[in-house]
PDB file of all heavy atoms in Angstrom:
ATOM      1  N   GLU A 810       1.827  17.704 -19.910  1.00  0.00           N
ATOM      2  CA  GLU A 810       1.669  18.228 -21.310  1.00  0.00           C
ATOM      3  C   GLU A 810       0.904  19.509 -21.366  1.00  0.00           C
ATOM      4  O   GLU A 810       0.188  19.798 -20.427  1.00  0.00           O
ATOM      5  CB  GLU A 810       0.943  17.213 -22.044  1.00  0.00           C
ATOM      6  CG  GLU A 810      -0.620  17.262 -22.000  1.00  0.00           C
ATOM      7  CD  GLU A 810      -1.287  16.727 -20.679  1.00  0.00           C
ATOM      8  OE1 GLU A 810      -0.442  16.403 -19.756  1.00  0.00           O
ATOM      9  OE2 GLU A 810      -2.486  16.764 -20.608  1.00  0.00           O
ATOM     10  N   SER A 811       1.151  20.311 -22.369  1.00  0.00           N
ATOM     11  CA  SER A 811       0.487  21.645 -22.594  1.00  0.00           C
ATOM     12  C   SER A 811      -0.742  21.235 -23.234  1.00  0.00           C
ATOM     13  O   SER A 811      -1.105  20.091 -23.611  1.00  0.00           O
ATOM     14  CB  SER A 811       1.300  22.481 -23.614  1.00  0.00           C
ATOM     15  OG  SER A 811       1.395  21.790 -24.830  1.00  0.00           O
ATOM     16  N   LEU A 812      -1.717  22.344 -23.467  1.00  0.00           N
ATOM     17  CA  LEU A 812      -2.959  22.140 -24.040  1.00  0.00           C
ATOM     18  C   LEU A 812      -2.745  21.703 -25.474  1.00  0.00           C
ATOM     19  O   LEU A 812      -3.478  20.763 -25.955  1.00  0.00           O
ATOM     20  CB  LEU A 812      -3.843  23.578 -23.865  1.00  0.00           C
ATOM     21  CG  LEU A 812      -5.182  23.296 -24.543  1.00  0.00           C
ATOM     22  CD1 LEU A 812      -6.004  22.291 -23.733  1.00  0.00           C
ATOM     23  CD2 LEU A 812      -5.935  24.645 -24.457  1.00  0.00           C
ATOM     24  N   GLU A 813      -1.840  22.333 -26.052  1.00  0.00           N
ATOM     25  CA  GLU A 813      -1.606  21.959 -27.555  1.00  0.00           C
ATOM     26  C   GLU A 813      -1.200  20.538 -27.666  1.00  0.00           C
ATOM     27  O   GLU A 813      -1.742  19.794 -28.586  1.00  0.00           O
ATOM     28  CB  GLU A 813      -0.458  22.972 -28.056  1.00  0.00           C
ATOM     29  CG  GLU A 813      -0.225  22.775 -29.571  1.00  0.00           C
ATOM     30  CD  GLU A 813       1.045  23.588 -30.010  1.00  0.00           C
ATOM     31  OE1 GLU A 813       1.717  24.051 -29.256  1.00  0.00           O
ATOM     32  OE2 GLU A 813       1.260  23.449 -31.227  1.00  0.00           O
ATOM     33  N   GLU A 814      -0.304  20.042 -26.750  1.00  0.00           N
ATOM     34  CA  GLU A 814       0.156  18.680 -26.799  1.00  0.00           C
ATOM     35  C   GLU A 814      -1.069  17.683 -26.681  1.00  0.00           C
ATOM     36  O   GLU A 814      -1.198  16.748 -27.329  1.00  0.00           O
ATOM     37  CB  GLU A 814       1.224  18.459 -25.873  1.00  0.00           C
ATOM     38  CG  GLU A 814       2.667  19.088 -26.429  1.00  0.00           C
ATOM     39  CD  GLU A 814       3.531  19.261 -25.250  1.00  0.00           C
ATOM     40  OE1 GLU A 814       3.363  19.274 -23.991  1.00  0.00           O
ATOM     41  OE2 GLU A 814       4.748  19.540 -25.539  1.00  0.00           O
ATOM     42  N   ARG A 815      -1.908  18.103 -25.697  1.00  0.00           N
ATOM     43  CA  ARG A 815      -3.097  17.248 -25.471  1.00  0.00           C
ATOM     44  C   ARG A 815      -4.099  17.222 -26.718  1.00  0.00           C
ATOM     45  O   ARG A 815      -4.434  16.123 -27.086  1.00  0.00           O
ATOM     46  CB  ARG A 815      -3.921  17.691 -24.210  1.00  0.00           C
ATOM     47  CG  ARG A 815      -5.193  16.942 -23.923  1.00  0.00           C
ATOM     48  CD  ARG A 815      -5.702  17.020 -22.555  1.00  0.00           C
ATOM     49  NE  ARG A 815      -4.864  16.187 -21.562  1.00  0.00           N
ATOM     50  CZ  ARG A 815      -5.223  14.968 -21.241  1.00  0.00           C
ATOM     51  NH1 ARG A 815      -6.301  14.373 -21.820  1.00  0.00           N
ATOM     52  NH2 ARG A 815      -4.511  14.255 -20.521  1.00  0.00           N
ATOM     53  N   GLU A 816      -4.214  18.321 -27.137  1.00  0.00           N
ATOM     54  CA  GLU A 816      -5.061  18.327 -28.453  1.00  0.00           C
ATOM     55  C   GLU A 816      -4.487  17.645 -29.604  1.00  0.00           C
ATOM     56  O   GLU A 816      -5.140  17.081 -30.470  1.00  0.00           O
ATOM     57  CB  GLU A 816      -5.441  19.851 -28.852  1.00  0.00           C
ATOM     58  CG  GLU A 816      -6.466  20.441 -27.747  1.00  0.00           C
ATOM     59  CD  GLU A 816      -6.715  21.932 -27.823  1.00  0.00           C
ATOM     60  OE1 GLU A 816      -5.960  22.699 -28.560  1.00  0.00           O
ATOM     61  OE2 GLU A 816      -7.713  22.420 -27.176  1.00  0.00           O
ATOM     62  N   LEU A 817      -3.219  17.618 -29.669  1.00  0.00           N
ATOM     63  CA  LEU A 817      -2.552  16.818 -30.721  1.00  0.00           C
ATOM     64  C   LEU A 817      -2.416  15.354 -30.403  1.00  0.00           C
ATOM     65  O   LEU A 817      -1.879  14.494 -31.181  1.00  0.00           O
ATOM     66  CB  LEU A 817      -1.071  17.305 -30.887  1.00  0.00           C
ATOM     67  CG  LEU A 817      -0.877  18.711 -31.621  1.00  0.00           C
ATOM     68  CD1 LEU A 817       0.539  19.206 -31.530  1.00  0.00           C
ATOM     69  CD2 LEU A 817      -1.179  18.607 -33.179  1.00  0.00           C
ATOM     70  N   ASN A 818      -3.046  14.918 -29.183  1.00  0.00           N
ATOM     71  CA  ASN A 818      -3.068  13.518 -28.873  1.00  0.00           C
ATOM     72  C   ASN A 818      -1.627  12.989 -28.596  1.00  0.00           C
ATOM     73  O   ASN A 818      -1.351  11.773 -28.964  1.00  0.00           O
ATOM     74  CB  ASN A 818      -3.645  12.760 -29.897  1.00  0.00           C
ATOM     75  CG  ASN A 818      -5.170  12.364 -29.506  1.00  0.00           C
ATOM     76  OD1 ASN A 818      -5.241  11.971 -28.296  1.00  0.00           O
ATOM     77  ND2 ASN A 818      -6.021  12.521 -30.284  1.00  0.00           N
ATOM     78  N   THR A 820      -0.013  13.469 -25.508  1.00  0.00           N
ATOM     79  CA  THR A 820       0.159  13.464 -24.125  1.00  0.00           C
ATOM     80  C   THR A 820       1.072  12.430 -23.465  1.00  0.00           C
ATOM     81  O   THR A 820       1.981  12.567 -22.818  1.00  0.00           O
ATOM     82  CB  THR A 820      -1.215  13.510 -23.404  1.00  0.00           C
ATOM     83  OG1 THR A 820      -1.971  14.635 -23.658  1.00  0.00           O
ATOM     84  CG2 THR A 820      -1.015  13.508 -21.819  1.00  0.00           C
ATOM     85  N   PRO A 849      -0.879  18.455 -15.690  1.00  0.00           N
ATOM     86  CA  PRO A 849      -1.051  19.100 -17.023  1.00  0.00           C
ATOM     87  C   PRO A 849      -1.216  20.579 -17.016  1.00  0.00           C
ATOM     88  O   PRO A 849      -1.673  21.122 -16.005  1.00  0.00           O
ATOM     89  CB  PRO A 849      -2.463  18.492 -17.397  1.00  0.00           C
ATOM     90  CG  PRO A 849      -3.046  17.994 -16.028  1.00  0.00           C
ATOM     91  CD  PRO A 849      -1.945  17.724 -15.121  1.00  0.00           C
ATOM     92  N   ILE A 850      -0.328  21.207 -17.878  1.00  0.00           N
ATOM     93  CA  ILE A 850      -0.066  22.645 -17.809  1.00  0.00           C
ATOM     94  C   ILE A 850      -1.379  23.350 -17.823  1.00  0.00           C
ATOM     95  O   ILE A 850      -1.616  24.452 -17.252  1.00  0.00           O
ATOM     96  CB  ILE A 850       0.902  23.080 -18.891  1.00  0.00           C
ATOM     97  CG1 ILE A 850       2.241  22.343 -18.626  1.00  0.00           C
ATOM     98  CG2 ILE A 850       1.095  24.460 -18.944  1.00  0.00           C
ATOM     99  CD1 ILE A 850       3.269  22.522 -19.735  1.00  0.00           C
ATOM    100  N   TRP A 851      -2.317  22.877 -18.745  1.00  0.00           N
ATOM    101  CA  TRP A 851      -3.708  23.542 -18.958  1.00  0.00           C
ATOM    102  C   TRP A 851      -4.513  23.554 -17.631  1.00  0.00           C
ATOM    103  O   TRP A 851      -5.424  24.209 -17.535  1.00  0.00           O
ATOM    104  CB  TRP A 851      -4.341  22.915 -20.107  1.00  0.00           C
ATOM    105  CG  TRP A 851      -4.469  21.335 -19.992  1.00  0.00           C
ATOM    106  CD1 TRP A 851      -3.517  20.482 -20.501  1.00  0.00           C
ATOM    107  CD2 TRP A 851      -5.441  20.628 -19.387  1.00  0.00           C
ATOM    108  NE1 TRP A 851      -3.853  19.171 -20.319  1.00  0.00           N
ATOM    109  CE2 TRP A 851      -5.162  19.184 -19.583  1.00  0.00           C
ATOM    110  CE3 TRP A 851      -6.563  20.776 -18.629  1.00  0.00           C
ATOM    111  CZ2 TRP A 851      -5.793  18.220 -19.092  1.00  0.00           C
ATOM    112  CZ3 TRP A 851      -7.267  19.740 -18.144  1.00  0.00           C
ATOM    113  CH2 TRP A 851      -7.024  18.388 -18.333  1.00  0.00           C
ATOM    114  N   LYS A 857      -9.294  24.700 -14.197  1.00  0.00           N
ATOM    115  CA  LYS A 857      -9.835  23.619 -15.061  1.00  0.00           C
ATOM    116  C   LYS A 857      -9.176  22.413 -14.574  1.00  0.00           C
ATOM    117  O   LYS A 857      -8.127  21.929 -15.198  1.00  0.00           O
ATOM    118  CB  LYS A 857      -9.342  24.115 -16.440  1.00  0.00           C
ATOM    119  CG  LYS A 857     -10.457  23.738 -17.485  1.00  0.00           C
ATOM    120  CD  LYS A 857      -9.764  24.300 -18.886  1.00  0.00           C
ATOM    121  CE  LYS A 857     -10.207  23.295 -19.908  1.00  0.00           C
ATOM    122  NZ  LYS A 857      -9.551  23.549 -21.167  1.00  0.00           N
TER     123      LYS A 857
END
Side-chain angles (χ1 to χ4, degrees):
E810 82 288 2
S811 65
L812 183 59
E813 188 191 2
E814 289 161 343
R815 175 156 286 264
E816 285 172 347
L817 285 169
N818 256 317
T820 296
I850 296 168
W851 49 269
K857 218 176 141 192

